[in-house]
């Protein structure tokens, strides 16, 4: 099932995306998708609505250096346990929303990632099996990073935390085997990153369990699982597309701030 959050003529709703790429529609559901799915009578062609970020998380928990080749390309060691950092909820944007380049940075880069969405009742100090049951679904993410600020600050908060630095979407896909999926990033249709989730140093259940032993994961929280090698700068006028096999495409234009 593909769960979207979208704006239509009557307001904002959650819905289920149905059909094939040539004729996608979205069927409105009652209330929030974490409960029993109940459809209203409303349905739109996907082209006639505007997709938003599929969820509004209380926090975005990110995992650094979770692909060996990416750690190596930045001159870092592979961590012995998951390396965690946070992105604020205010960094989240949806499909087609603009990534806004901050004037403080001269080197902003893309990072394509598989994102995990936590479902009810959340997770706290969960073992591996409980962690797997806490997963509602998956979406695409771009962990946009001001690389020069990351190097200057050592810690990641400023470099990762600017408004618009966490595109999510296009929807949440449930019931997906994520053990070996392609993760791709294209900039203006040029392939910049191409990896597979089988190469994650710490797999998804391990990450959910590990994070839940540090902080309580609430329904709707998002975990970014790490990025494959190939990160590189983006500039105003670019379009960045993150594609995760089995989920879809997340495309965002890049603009400069006046």
């Amino acid at each position: 099932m593909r769960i979207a959050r979208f704006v239509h003529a009557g307001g904002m709703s959650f819905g289920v995306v149905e059909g094939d790429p040539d004729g996608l529609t979205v069927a409105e559901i009652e209330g929030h998708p974490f409960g029993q799915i109940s459809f209203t009578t409303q349905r739109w062609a996907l082209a006639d609505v505007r997709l938003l970020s599929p969820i509004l998380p209380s926090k975005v928990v990110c995992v650094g250096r979770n692909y060996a080749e990416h750690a190596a390309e930045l001159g870092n060691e592979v961590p012995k346990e998951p390396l965690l950092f946070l992105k604020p909820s205010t960094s989240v944007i949806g499909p087609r929303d603009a990534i806004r380049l901050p004037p403080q940075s001269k080197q902003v880069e893309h990072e394509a990632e598989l994102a995990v969405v936590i479902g009810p009742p959340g997770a706290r100090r969960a073992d591996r099996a409980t962690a797997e049951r806490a997963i509602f679904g998956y979406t695409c993410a771009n962990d946009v990073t001001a690389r020069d600020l990351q190097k200057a600050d050592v810690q990641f908060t400023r470099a990762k935390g600017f408004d618009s630095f966490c595109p999510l979407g296009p929807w949440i896909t449930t019931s997906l085997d994520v053990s070996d999926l392609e993760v791709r990033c294209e900039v203006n249709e040029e392939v910049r990153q191409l990896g597979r989730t089988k190469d994650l140093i710490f797999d998804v259940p391990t990450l959910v369990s590990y994070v839940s032993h540090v902080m309580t994961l609430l329904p709707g929280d998002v975990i970014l699982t790490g990025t494959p090698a190939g990160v590189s700068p983006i500039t105003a006028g670019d379009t960045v597309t993150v594609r995760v096999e089995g989920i879809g495409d997340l495309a965002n234009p890049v603009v400069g701030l006046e």
Side-chain angles (χ1 to χ4, degrees):
M1 185 178 290
R2 294 171 291 190
I3 304 291
R5 191 170 69 96
F6 62 100
V7 172
H8 52 86
M12 187 278 291
S13 301
F14 285 96
V16 175
V17 177
E18 299 173 331
D20 58 45
D22 294 326
L24 290 176
T25 61
V26 57
E28 184 183 47
I29 63 174
E30 296 278 4
H32 202 282
F34 288 163
Q36 180 69 34
I37 297 293
S38 177
F39 291 94
T40 72
T41 59
Q42 299 297 310
R43 181 184 296 269
W44 295 267
L46 193 65
D48 293 335
V49 303
R50 181 169 71 89
L51 292 179
L52 306 172
S53 64
I55 202 72
L56 291 175
S58 78
K59 53 187 171 292
V60 180
V61 186
C62 308
V63 182
R65 304 171 193 168
N66 202 26
Y67 287 83
E69 290 186 359
H70 172 61
E73 75 178 342
L74 297 182
N76 297 311
E77 297 287 334
V78 171
K80 293 182 172 58
E81 56 184 335
L83 173 64
L84 304 183
F85 59 94
L86 295 173
K87 294 175 87 81
S89 59
T90 48
S91 67
V92 172
I93 57 174
R96 301 294 174 185
D97 290 339
I99 298 168
R100 302 189 299 277
L101 301 177
Q104 297 95 320
S105 175
K106 303 301 182 187
Q107 186 182 357
V108 175
E109 298 186 349
H110 57 77
E111 293 192 9
E113 310 204 11
L114 170 71
V116 180
V117 180
I118 302 299
R124 181 176 181 272
R125 302 189 63 80
D127 60 20
R128 185 181 176 89
T130 306
E132 288 190 276
R133 291 195 295 271
I135 298 170
F136 178 72
Y138 304 90
T139 192
C140 305
N142 188 349
D143 177 19
V144 182
T145 303
R147 193 72 65 199
D148 51 353
L149 303 185
Q150 183 184 21
K151 292 176 181 177
D153 294 352
V154 182
Q155 54 83 29
F156 297 174
T157 302
R158 182 168 65 133
K160 304 278 192 174
F162 286 99
D163 290 354
S164 80
F165 269 29
C166 189
L168 296 176
W171 41 66
I172 299 167
T173 299
T174 62
S175 304
L176 182 66
D177 179 359
V178 298
S179 58
D180 186 16
L181 300 178
E182 182 182 273
V183 179
R184 172 191 293 256
C185 181
E186 297 179 3
V187 179
N188 306 326
E189 300 183 352
E190 174 193 355
V191 178
R192 299 276 186 92
Q193 292 181 272
L194 190 61
R196 301 200 69 86
T197 56
K198 68 180 177 64
D199 296 321
L200 288 169
I201 297 166
F202 303 103
D203 68 6
V204 168
T206 298
L207 294 176
V208 175
S209 175
Y210 184 88
V211 174
S212 78
H213 281 78
V214 178
M215 65 193 77
T216 298
L217 289 167
L218 301 176
D221 282 349
V222 171
I223 299 176
L224 306 193
T225 59
T227 195
V231 298
S232 59
I234 54 179
T235 58
D238 288 342
T239 296
V240 184
T241 303
V242 173
R243 180 177 300 123
V244 178
E245 183 181 359
I247 300 176
D249 292 1
L250 169 65
N252 297 94
V254 182
V255 302
L257 285 180
E258 295 294 335

